[in-house]
Amino acid sequence: MTQQRYKVIFQPAGRQGWALPGQTLLDVARELGVYIESICGGHQTCGQCRVEVVEGDFPTFGIHSSAQHLSPPDEGEQACAERCGLKPGQRLACSARVQGDVVIHVPEESRLKRQVVRKDATTRTFRVHPALRLAYVEVAPPRLEEREGEWERVARELAQRFGYTAVAPELDLLRDLPAALRQGERHITLTLWQERRGIRVRAGFHDDLYGMAIDVGTTTVAGHLVHLRTGHILTTVSAMNPQITYGEDIMSRISYVMQHPDGLTRLHRAILDGLNDLIREATDRVGLSPEDVSEVVLVGNTVMHHLLLGLDPTSLGAAPFTLVRQDAVDVRARDMGLDILPGGNVHILPCIAGHVGADNVAVLLAEAPHRVEGEIHLVIDVGTNGEILLGNRESVYAASSPTGPAFEGAQIRHGMRAATGAIERVRVDPQTLDVRFKVIGEERWNNEWPEDALDAFDPAARSRRHRHRPRVVKARGICGSGIIEAVAELWRVGAIDDSGRFVPGLEEETPRFLPEGTKGAFVLAWPHESATGEPILIHSDDIRAVQLAKAALYAGAKLLMNRRGITSVDIIKLAGGFGTTIDPVHALLLGMIPDADPARVRAVGNAAGDGALMALLDREVREEARRLARWVTYVETALEPAFQEEFVAAIPFPHARDPFPHLAPFLEAAEPWRSQRRARAQNARRRRRRRK
Amino acid sequence: MTQQRYKVIFQPAGRQGWALPGQTLLDVARELGVYIESICGGHQTCGQCRVEVVEGDFPTFGIHSSAQHLSPPDEGEQACAERCGLKPGQRLACSARVQGDVVIHVPEESRLKRQVVRKDATTRTFRVHPALRLAYVEVAPPRLEEREGEWERVARELAQRFGYTAVAPELDLLRDLPAALRQGERHITLTLWQERRGIRVRAGFHDDLYGMAIDVGTTTVAGHLVHLRTGHILTTVSAMNPQITYGEDIMSRISYVMQHPDGLTRLHRAILDGLNDLIREATDRVGLSPEDVSEVVLVGNTVMHHLLLGLDPTSLGAAPFTLVRQDAVDVRARDMGLDILPGGNVHILPCIAGHVGADNVAVLLAEAPHRVEGEIHLVIDVGTNGEILLGNRESVYAASSPTGPAFEGAQIRHGMRAATGAIERVRVDPQTLDVRFKVIGEERWNNEWPEDALDAFDPAARSRRHRHRPRVVKARGICGSGIIEAVAELWRVGAIDDSGRFVPGLEEETPRFLPEGTKGAFVLAWPHESATGEPILIHSDDIRAVQLAKAALYAGAKLLMNRRGITSVDIIKLAGGFGTTIDPVHALLLGMIPDADPARVRAVGNAAGDGALMALLDREVREEARRLARWVTYVETALEPAFQEEFVAAIPFPHARDPFPHLAPFLEAAEPWRSQRRARAQNARRRRRRRK
């Protein structure tokens, strides 16, 4: 006599199989490899495993599916349905028992691997399948005739209810276990890493689980604090990299390590302190504690990667640019010195090669040129090191370009990072050379500010009204995108020539130009528009710094294009974590990117940060990252003679050699004032030459 | 065309197989699963893989074996042979290439799993197959066209040369790697744990590897420092458990934790400090540093086990005596707070049940009653907790008995632990009541000491000759075996009665008896025999403490015998780490063990420490320990009503109820003085009773 069995089909996975009468849907799903979320392992506590019956006839399967073919909701399920807000028709898979053939729909939110879409600067889809899992366990009270310990009892539940048979508890967990069992009346929630390391125990039921994805830049450190089960970003924080006091770029940091016996320790300590402050700021903001963060994913260039781990970066300073470790690293937070959950995990994405780091891998993950069929994509991540990717499904070339920190507001007289008060947008009137600007934290451009906000700066007045909300957020400095636009606009209107010098006679045209020998500066914001009461300027030296930075990016991109034997690309993506996104036209005006139709240039925000976030939310992305890091073709710019040559040619605006036909329509509006000023510069140059 | 192949046979393993011409013997051995030691993985550096050719005809295999069938020693092998002292006829398996059929003998010292025999209190055989291995690696210099990091290069060598494909480096190792590669000119030695965790890197070639096995007793902590590759004990150290200031037995330690908010932290810190001091003492003695210790195996009772790990032992204080963790624990030294190699491992043997700990498992490993066919063995490990095992191959019962610290010299007026100056042997003359004793660190009994050493104590005299070696080591106190013998001897000669009281009128017989009301004390060593100038006494209270201790041991043993339904055992083993071993006759005189022929009672020294050592030296023993911990039948003495009853009956000497026929011959010599004194006591008791 064969036992009665029923057919169960799970949609949209399409898996089908047989169930014994009375088996729960969760059980059947597990047997069929259908991954349904469950924190409580079938205690009708978490309400995560909600499913729906698809009713009707399914001739292909030869069955009739009906809600009547499941056991009716029992008390536990009814209580949970109310508490967790189950929709009509939804059932708990852990409670509903099979009594006939059924077709079951597993909604997205109940899937163990689910997708969430974020609409931000760019719309991205993240898959949520974190390395961390929660497991709610009800532990039977100990009895005298049992010799096993409390942990063994917990381990048995994990094996029976969840199928996790190899969980090793951290010592911290064992230490906290007796109190948690007592306080939770033997109901506890465990946090597990990769289902094999027990890293936390809490009394009672919990469904919150947090992580941070942090992009550790040479100049700026920026992180997202996220709920690991929902993929929801709770807050985003950023700060200067405190290592900046030891050198502004990676080479000067390496020098510092080489020249000081405690240099490595200092730089390691500095970035750890910085990260710990950042994590505390993020958790404080949303009422959590750093201990609530169970995992952190870090990305950074190879020097940041080494300094984060306390590894000597000296060998990265000279050929053959040897990494101490290339592959991804998983290290316990306590071992690294990161103040999150001590047994929590820190994952650092792999490096590609000596000068091509985990940040490049993160950009690759986020922008995925390797998934593009046909079209060639150029991805440029603007930072103190520019990370450049070029290619498509066939092959992707990667390089790192020593941009310098200009685009992150460092090495710029009034530069600042993208924070409230930073000028992020600039427009210069071609005729009057008047300036309009927009500041982070203020919706209106400065010419739309109310009259009374434009009073001359008066500290006493400020203190009298300090309890009132200020009428406008005034300017405090210029951030990356503001610097790009300011310089691009000055060149567009002809106030600076192709070599980056202010044209002669500007002081007669506008009080905004402040001559200073052969140099000079241009006022973006007047004292009454600034929060400090001092004018905010773009100085000749700032323009020079921008030229070197954009030349490095352009030369890097050009080098990869030459390698691949192409002279133009189909899509350009501009990434960078500096406040607002870079305007494609201004990037073209500067000659920061190869000539292209601006419609084919896309600003994609903080791609490295998003790549880190993807790896944080989905454990499988980490494996993909390791594969990609080995698959990508890397180009070592530091050793390419052609790089130096391309770099020099890219210093003038927009370029000494390469044509930029797509720029013409954007220069038109500024004529004839532009021509006039450029002619003046040419004459002056000729005169000088004759005098010599 | 088939390729030429040769037959290779390895002895004594008896494995045989085929080799290609030119294959090294080490390669062939690996393919056949013959484990030959090699640190250098075939670089002819370590000289570990020495083998011998067995020459002659082997008709069973149909081959002729000859030394000529191996390639002659090349330069590398010749250099190594000289440096490492290869015997004539010995070859390096990594260098000798197969050129014909050979039979190869692998000597014991070349085997990966080898045996060493130690002759000590007991002769024991230890198998050496530690969890740690050394791997000497020569790392190719990095080249520009390679993207891999230094660690990836090392990992590739480990995979190719040793077959270790899954070694994860500790962060410390990565941090030390660049300097080690530089200093060792790219030759390094790695320390690996279980072939999967890289825990140390050193520049150049090294073949030393150290570990410690420590028995953490409630009162005494004792450890062996050993060379893990040879099994050689470098030194043995012991000290008081510093937790003793928080309570003398495990129950008082639990109370301390319950009554003080920081009690757990204090006790945890105290034992860690104690262990760290002990490890430093051991390494200092032999010119090593604590960082050279790569692994520690710890055993202890369940409360020590919990306090070592910082786990709350409160639940062990009351039924159902719940452990937080029963199974064996592997934890990194850094996480536990043990100052050895930070990435080194600490292994704690499993507990059996609430009151039956890892020390019992260790005794089980060392004495192995579960391997005995037929005969019933009783093993008693005397400590502040008595660990008791009873049984044979069929079944073994285990219990723990609350002995108290008397046998470790605590709770005894002049008690001390087994160290230089401790009285370890005592004989009392039945007629004169004169005392002979022997002190640890002094070969001669006190009656053999030179006359001039017996001068009255004179501190000034001592300081005058302090630069000379003292003529004798005088007594400083009494250790466990001395206490046992002193009390047993006093009862044997009739100076104390069965209830443990001094008999009346002793003060008239000997000046050694110092009356004190109804109590009194007996002088073992006169002031001139003592290092302090004060007499060393056995006080009535000390005798009482010994009675309670021996009664607990006897009752525990009796309980297990009753459980198994037997009234006598075949072999009794007395273990304990107190200086010298316990004398079987004196143990019987006290009634510490059930009656038996003294020839069937064996003193086996520090069995728990030896069990820990076995687990340290052989990773497979750890698996056996886990298996045994689950297999053994445990008896919870604290909850057995019969235990209390047996305990009370065992307080008198030798027992209130059970006969000790085997004692008769040992009492004979003391007659008639014994009878006379016992009669005096009986008369006195009668008189007292009449007076009331």
Side-chain angles (χ1 to χ4, degrees):
Chain A
M1 195 189 104
T2 53
Q3 204 183 342
Q4 170 78 54
R5 295 190 308 170
Y6 300 113
K7 196 169 246 180
V8 180
I9 296 156
F10 287 98
Q11 300 291 18
R15 299 273 172 97
Q16 53 172 305
W18 297 98
L20 296 174
Q23 229 186 331
T24 66
L25 286 175
L26 191 62
D27 251 15
V28 182
R30 267 197 201 130
E31 283 176 16
L32 297 178
V34 175
Y35 297 106
I36 296 181
E37 172 76 304
S38 171
I39 297 175
C40 68
H43 278 107
Q44 299 159 24
T45 304
C46 69
Q48 296 292 324
C49 63
R50 46 189 84 175
V51 294
E52 290 149 16
V53 175
V54 188
E55 297 200 300
D57 284 317
F58 291 82
T60 4
F61 304 119
I63 65 165
H64 173 76
S65 166
S66 157
Q68 309 304 319
H69 292 175
L70 293 179
S71 63
D74 60 11
E75 249 177 66
E77 182 171 351
Q78 280 167 17
C80 181
E82 211 162 293
R83 198 175 58 245
C84 313
L86 256 63
K87 287 179 210 130
Q90 286 190 328
R91 296 293 310 274
L92 292 185
C94 70
S95 169
R97 291 172 186 281
V98 180
Q99 298 179 339
D101 299 338
V102 275
V103 175
I104 299 294
H105 173 71
V106 183
E108 186 76 42
E109 75 262 25
S110 298
R111 291 179 209 152
L112 201 57
K113 305 177 185 183
R114 46 191 181 281
Q115 303 215 314
V116 295
V117 176
R118 193 191 69 191
K119 281 181 182 149
D120 200 20
T122 40
T123 299
R124 289 193 203 279
T125 304
F126 293 87
R127 201 163 74 150
V128 179
H129 181 215
L132 293 158
R133 307 223 39 199
L134 295 173
Y136 168 78
V137 178
E138 299 185 4
V139 190
R143 291 180 310 168
L144 191 58
E145 61 273 26
E146 294 166 346
R147 63 173 73 183
E148 59 182 3
E150 294 286 22
W151 170 255
E152 281 75 22
R153 258 179 278 271
V154 172
R156 202 174 47 197
E157 284 291 312
L158 289 176
Q160 284 175 1
R161 292 238 168 216
F162 298 90
Y164 306 153
T165 52
V167 180
E170 286 287 320
L171 198 48
D172 293 316
L173 189 157
L174 290 179
R175 287 175 182 165
D176 294 340
L177 185 59
L181 284 168
R182 208 161 44 236
Q183 284 160 27
E185 291 172 343
R186 305 198 68 79
H187 299 177
I188 55 173
T189 302
L190 296 161
T191 306
L192 310 177
W193 186 76
Q194 303 270 24
E195 289 97 50
R196 63 172 192 259
R197 208 151 62 75
I199 60 172
R200 191 186 195 189
V201 59
R202 288 179 282 177
F205 173 79
H206 296 268
D207 60 3
D208 57 329
L209 189 61
Y210 306 100
M212 275 193 84
I214 306 183
D215 174 19
V216 182
T218 312
T219 307
T220 313
V221 180
H224 298 302
L225 174 63
V226 289
H227 193 304
L228 289 177
R229 295 204 326 97
T230 63
H232 177 63
I233 296 181
L234 302 177
T235 190
T236 298
V237 282
S238 70
M240 290 296 268
N241 183 333
Q243 292 178 334
I244 210 147
T245 52
Y246 301 101
E248 287 197 328
D249 53 39
I250 54 171
M251 282 303 160
S252 52
R253 308 253 170 103
I254 294 177
S255 300
Y256 189 86
V257 170
M258 293 173 71
Q259 287 159 14
H260 298 81
D262 63 343
L264 176 56
T265 313
R266 274 170 187 260
L267 285 172
H268 176 52
R269 216 40 267 173
I271 185 61
L272 279 183
D273 290 346
L275 289 180
N276 286 333
D277 289 346
L278 197 74
I279 294 166
R280 203 165 307 113
E281 189 192 332
T283 48
D284 276 357
R285 259 196 218 167
V286 298
L288 294 173
S289 91
E291 283 246 327
D292 292 320
V293 177
S294 299
E295 187 166 45
V296 170
V297 168
L298 297 175
V299 302
N301 60 55
T302 55
V303 176
M304 290 305 109
H305 172 277
H306 278 43
L307 293 176
L308 277 168
L309 289 167
L311 305 180
D312 187 352
T314 306
S315 58
L316 298 171
F321 310 114
T322 313
L323 292 161
V324 176
R325 164 104 182 188
Q326 183 254 329
D327 203 358
V329 175
D330 279 305
V331 58
R332 283 192 315 173
R334 168 190 284 132
D335 296 344
M336 184 161 155
L338 217 53
D339 296 340
I340 59 167
L341 182 69
N345 189 59
V346 180
H347 181 85
I348 307 186
L349 288 179
C351 296
I352 293 172
H355 278 167
V356 191
D359 47 0
N360 217 320
V361 175
V363 173
L364 190 56
L365 289 175
E367 296 309 324
H370 59 285
R371 295 225 179 103
V372 176
E373 203 77 64
E375 280 185 335
I376 300 279
H377 282 213
L378 171 66
V379 187
I380 300 183
D381 185 48
V382 184
T384 305
N385 264 292
E387 307 305 332
I388 307 172
L389 294 162
L390 177 81
N392 59 11
R393 194 185 191 93
E394 288 162 34
S395 71
V396 170
Y397 287 77
S400 181
S401 196
T403 318
F407 293 140
E408 295 187 71
Q411 283 182 348
I412 298 289
R413 207 165 282 200
H414 286 112
M416 65 179 283
R417 68 190 181 84
T420 302
I423 295 176
E424 55 167 354
R425 293 248 167 277
V426 175
R427 292 292 177 276
V428 179
D429 184 286
Q431 182 175 7
T432 62
L433 296 182
D434 211 17
V435 173
R436 286 194 303 132
F437 62 83
K438 211 196 136 300
V439 151
I440 297 180
E442 173 59 55
E443 289 288 301
R444 298 158 293 190
W445 287 70
N446 68 324
N447 61 333
E448 299 158 354
W449 289 357
E451 279 287 322
D452 55 353
L454 294 173
D455 299 344
F457 181 78
D458 173 4
R462 192 173 60 167
S463 78
R464 273 200 309 277
R465 61 184 184 212
H466 79 284
R467 259 176 303 181
H468 303 283
R469 199 166 153 272
R471 290 215 177 86
V472 294
V473 178
K474 289 187 174 182
R476 301 194 151 270
I478 328 167
C479 70
S481 58
I483 292 160
I484 288 170
E485 297 198 358
V487 175
E489 287 281 305
L490 287 175
W491 178 73
R492 182 179 70 88
V493 301
I496 55 177
D497 64 14
D498 293 356
S499 74
R501 272 188 288 264
F502 284 109
V503 299
L506 272 188
E507 59 274 32
E508 286 149 33
E509 282 196 75
T510 173
R512 285 188 185 266
F513 183 68
L514 315 174
E516 185 190 294
T518 58
K519 298 183 167 183
F522 195 89
V523 176
L524 293 186
W526 295 113
H528 66 270
E529 294 170 323
S530 115
T532 59
E534 299 290 327
I536 289 168
L537 312 163
I538 285 283
H539 192 270
S540 298
D541 294 342
D542 300 341
I543 297 169
R544 193 70 190 162
V546 166
Q547 282 182 284
L548 299 178
K550 71 104 182 175
L553 290 178
Y554 188 91
K558 198 65 191 306
L559 197 67
L560 296 190
M561 288 163 70
N562 291 343
R563 268 295 178 92
R564 216 175 191 277
I566 55 176
T567 53
S568 69
V569 298
D570 300 305
I571 297 283
I572 298 178
K573 289 176 165 184
L574 273 173
F578 22 60
T580 187
T581 51
I582 301 173
D583 177 53
V585 172
H586 287 96
L588 279 171
L589 284 166
L590 278 194
M592 196 167 135
I593 52 175
D595 183 57
D597 179 352
R600 311 283 284 171
V601 182
R602 289 170 202 163
V604 293
N606 183 0
D610 284 347
L613 188 56
M614 286 175 162
L616 175 65
L617 288 175
D618 184 0
R619 54 172 89 178
E620 285 159 43
V621 165
R622 302 179 194 181
E623 286 315 304
E624 192 192 351
R626 300 178 67 190
R627 218 165 40 241
L628 286 174
R630 288 188 297 263
W631 175 76
V632 153
T633 310
Y634 76 100
V635 176
E636 189 54 78
T637 56
L639 288 178
E640 286 281 340
F643 181 77
Q644 200 52 33
E645 195 198 308
E646 286 292 349
F647 176 73
V648 171
I651 291 176
F653 296 116
H655 196 275
R657 210 168 53 199
D658 297 349
F660 275 69
H662 281 103
L663 272 186
F666 303 100
L667 293 175
E668 217 167 283
E671 298 288 354
W673 303 284
R674 173 182 159 81
S675 316
Q676 207 178 320
R677 291 184 190 116
R678 290 167 66 90
R680 214 156 68 206
Q682 223 159 0
N683 289 338
R685 238 190 328 272
R686 244 180 255 136
R687 268 199 304 278
R688 261 202 308 282
R689 228 174 290 141
R690 240 176 283 146
R691 235 176 278 148
K692 275 173 199 162
Chain B
M1 198 188 103
T2 53
Q3 206 183 341
Q4 169 78 55
R5 295 189 308 170
Y6 300 113
K7 197 169 245 181
V8 180
I9 296 156
F10 288 96
Q11 299 292 18
R15 299 274 172 96
Q16 52 173 304
W18 297 98
L20 296 175
Q23 232 187 329
T24 67
L25 285 175
L26 191 61
D27 250 16
V28 181
R30 268 199 200 129
E31 284 176 16
L32 297 178
V34 175
Y35 298 104
I36 297 181
E37 172 78 302
S38 171
I39 297 175
C40 69
H43 278 108
Q44 298 158 25
T45 304
C46 70
Q48 297 293 324
C49 62
R50 47 188 84 176
V51 294
E52 290 148 17
V53 175
V54 188
E55 298 200 300
D57 284 317
F58 293 82
T60 4
F61 304 119
I63 65 166
H64 173 75
S65 167
S66 157
Q68 310 304 319
H69 291 176
L70 293 179
S71 63
D74 60 12
E75 249 177 67
E77 182 170 353
Q78 279 167 18
C80 181
E82 211 162 293
R83 199 174 57 245
C84 313
L86 255 64
K87 288 179 211 130
Q90 286 191 329
R91 296 294 310 272
L92 293 184
C94 70
S95 169
R97 292 173 186 281
V98 179
Q99 299 177 341
D101 298 339
V102 275
V103 175
I104 299 294
H105 174 70
V106 183
E108 186 78 40
E109 75 263 26
S110 299
R111 290 180 210 150
L112 202 58
K113 305 177 184 183
R114 44 189 183 280
Q115 303 214 314
V116 295
V117 176
R118 193 190 70 190
K119 280 180 183 151
D120 201 20
T122 40
T123 300
R124 288 194 204 280
T125 303
F126 293 86
R127 199 162 75 149
V128 179
H129 181 215
L132 292 158
R133 306 225 38 204
L134 294 174
Y136 168 77
V137 178
E138 299 185 2
V139 191
R143 290 181 309 167
L144 190 60
E145 60 274 25
E146 295 166 348
R147 63 175 71 186
E148 58 181 5
E150 295 287 22
W151 171 256
E152 281 77 22
R153 260 179 277 271
V154 172
R156 203 176 45 196
E157 283 292 311
L158 289 175
Q160 284 175 1
R161 293 238 167 217
F162 298 89
Y164 306 154
T165 53
V167 180
E170 286 286 321
L171 199 47
D172 293 317
L173 189 158
L174 289 180
R175 287 176 181 164
D176 295 340
L177 184 59
L181 284 169
R182 210 163 38 236
Q183 283 160 28
E185 292 173 344
R186 305 198 68 80
H187 299 177
I188 55 173
T189 302
L190 296 161
T191 307
L192 310 177
W193 187 75
Q194 302 269 24
E195 290 97 49
R196 63 174 193 257
R197 209 150 62 76
I199 62 173
R200 191 185 195 188
V201 60
R202 288 179 282 176
F205 174 79
H206 296 268
D207 59 4
D208 57 327
L209 189 61
Y210 307 100
M212 277 194 83
I214 307 182
D215 175 18
V216 182
T218 312
T219 307
T220 312
V221 180
H224 298 301
L225 174 64
V226 290
H227 193 304
L228 289 178
R229 295 201 329 96
T230 63
H232 176 63
I233 296 181
L234 302 178
T235 189
T236 298
V237 282
S238 70
M240 291 295 269
N241 183 334
Q243 291 177 335
I244 210 145
T245 51
Y246 302 100
E248 286 195 330
D249 54 36
I250 53 171
M251 282 305 164
S252 52
R253 306 253 172 104
I254 294 176
S255 301
Y256 188 88
V257 170
M258 291 172 74
Q259 286 159 14
H260 299 81
D262 63 344
L264 176 56
T265 312
R266 274 169 187 263
L267 285 172
H268 176 52
R269 214 41 267 175
I271 186 60
L272 278 183
D273 290 346
L275 289 180
N276 286 333
D277 288 346
L278 197 74
I279 293 166
R280 204 165 306 114
E281 188 192 334
T283 50
D284 276 356
R285 260 195 216 170
V286 297
L288 293 173
S289 92
E291 283 246 328
D292 292 321
V293 177
S294 299
E295 187 165 45
V296 170
V297 168
L298 297 174
V299 302
N301 60 53
T302 55
V303 176
M304 290 305 111
H305 172 276
H306 277 43
L307 293 177
L308 277 169
L309 289 168
L311 304 181
D312 187 354
T314 306
S315 57
L316 298 171
F321 311 112
T322 312
L323 292 162
V324 176
R325 164 104 181 188
Q326 182 254 329
D327 203 357
V329 176
D330 279 305
V331 59
R332 284 192 315 174
R334 168 189 283 130
D335 296 343
M336 186 163 154
L338 217 52
D339 296 340
I340 59 166
L341 181 69
N345 190 59
V346 180
H347 181 85
I348 308 186
L349 288 179
C351 297
I352 293 173
H355 278 168
V356 191
D359 48 359
N360 217 321
V361 175
V363 173
L364 190 56
L365 289 175
E367 296 309 324
H370 59 286
R371 296 226 179 102
V372 176
E373 203 78 62
E375 279 185 334
I376 300 279
H377 282 213
L378 171 67
V379 188
I380 300 183
D381 184 48
V382 183
T384 305
N385 263 292
E387 308 304 333
I388 307 170
L389 293 162
L390 177 83
N392 58 11
R393 194 185 191 91
E394 288 163 33
S395 70
V396 170
Y397 287 77
S400 181
S401 196
T403 318
F407 293 140
E408 296 187 69
Q411 284 183 348
I412 297 290
R413 206 164 287 199
H414 286 111
M416 65 178 284
R417 67 191 181 82
T420 302
I423 295 176
E424 55 168 353
R425 294 249 166 276
V426 175
R427 292 292 178 275
V428 180
D429 185 286
Q431 181 175 6
T432 63
L433 295 180
D434 212 17
V435 173
R436 286 194 303 130
F437 63 82
K438 209 197 134 303
V439 151
I440 296 181
E442 174 58 55
E443 289 289 301
R444 299 158 293 191
W445 288 71
N446 66 324
N447 60 333
E448 300 158 353
W449 289 358
E451 280 285 322
D452 56 352
L454 294 172
D455 299 344
F457 180 78
D458 174 2
R462 191 172 62 164
S463 77
R464 270 202 307 278
R465 59 184 184 215
H466 78 283
R467 260 175 303 179
H468 303 283
R469 199 165 152 272
R471 290 215 179 84
V472 295
V473 178
K474 291 188 171 180
R476 302 194 151 268
I478 328 167
C479 69
S481 58
I483 292 161
I484 289 170
E485 297 198 358
V487 175
E489 287 283 306
L490 289 175
W491 178 74
R492 182 178 69 89
V493 301
I496 56 177
D497 64 15
D498 293 355
S499 75
R501 271 187 289 263
F502 284 108
V503 300
L506 272 188
E507 60 273 31
E508 288 149 33
E509 280 196 77
T510 173
R512 285 186 183 266
F513 183 70
L514 315 174
E516 187 191 291
T518 58
K519 298 184 169 185
F522 196 87
V523 177
L524 294 186
W526 294 114
H528 66 271
E529 294 170 322
S530 114
T532 58
E534 300 289 327
I536 291 169
L537 313 162
I538 286 284
H539 192 270
S540 298
D541 294 340
D542 301 340
I543 297 169
R544 192 72 190 162
V546 166
Q547 282 182 284
L548 298 178
K550 72 103 183 175
L553 290 178
Y554 187 92
K558 199 68 191 305
L559 197 67
L560 296 190
M561 288 163 71
N562 291 345
R563 267 297 177 89
R564 215 175 190 279
I566 55 177
T567 54
S568 70
V569 298
D570 300 304
I571 296 284
I572 298 179
K573 288 178 166 183
L574 272 173
F578 24 59
T580 188
T581 51
I582 302 173
D583 176 55
V585 173
H586 287 97
L588 280 170
L589 284 166
L590 278 194
M592 197 168 133
I593 51 176
D595 183 57
D597 179 352
R600 313 281 287 169
V601 181
R602 290 171 198 160
V604 294
N606 183 0
D610 284 348
L613 188 57
M614 286 175 161
L616 175 65
L617 288 175
D618 185 359
R619 56 172 88 178
E620 284 157 45
V621 166
R622 302 179 193 180
E623 285 314 304
E624 191 191 353
R626 300 179 66 191
R627 217 168 38 242
L628 286 175
R630 289 187 297 262
W631 174 77
V632 153
T633 309
Y634 75 100
V635 175
E636 189 55 77
T637 55
L639 290 177
E640 286 281 339
F643 180 78
Q644 200 50 34
E645 195 197 308
E646 286 290 349
F647 175 75
V648 171
I651 290 175
F653 296 114
H655 197 274
R657 208 169 51 200
D658 297 347
F660 276 70
H662 283 101
L663 272 186
F666 302 99
L667 293 174
E668 217 167 281
E671 299 289 352
W673 302 284
R674 173 183 159 82
S675 318
Q676 207 178 317
R677 294 189 187 111
R678 289 167 65 88
R680 214 156 70 205
Q682 221 157 2
N683 289 337
R685 241 195 322 275
R686 247 183 251 130
R687 270 201 302 280
R688 263 204 306 282
R689 227 176 291 139
R690 240 177 282 142
R691 235 178 277 147
K692 274 176 200 161

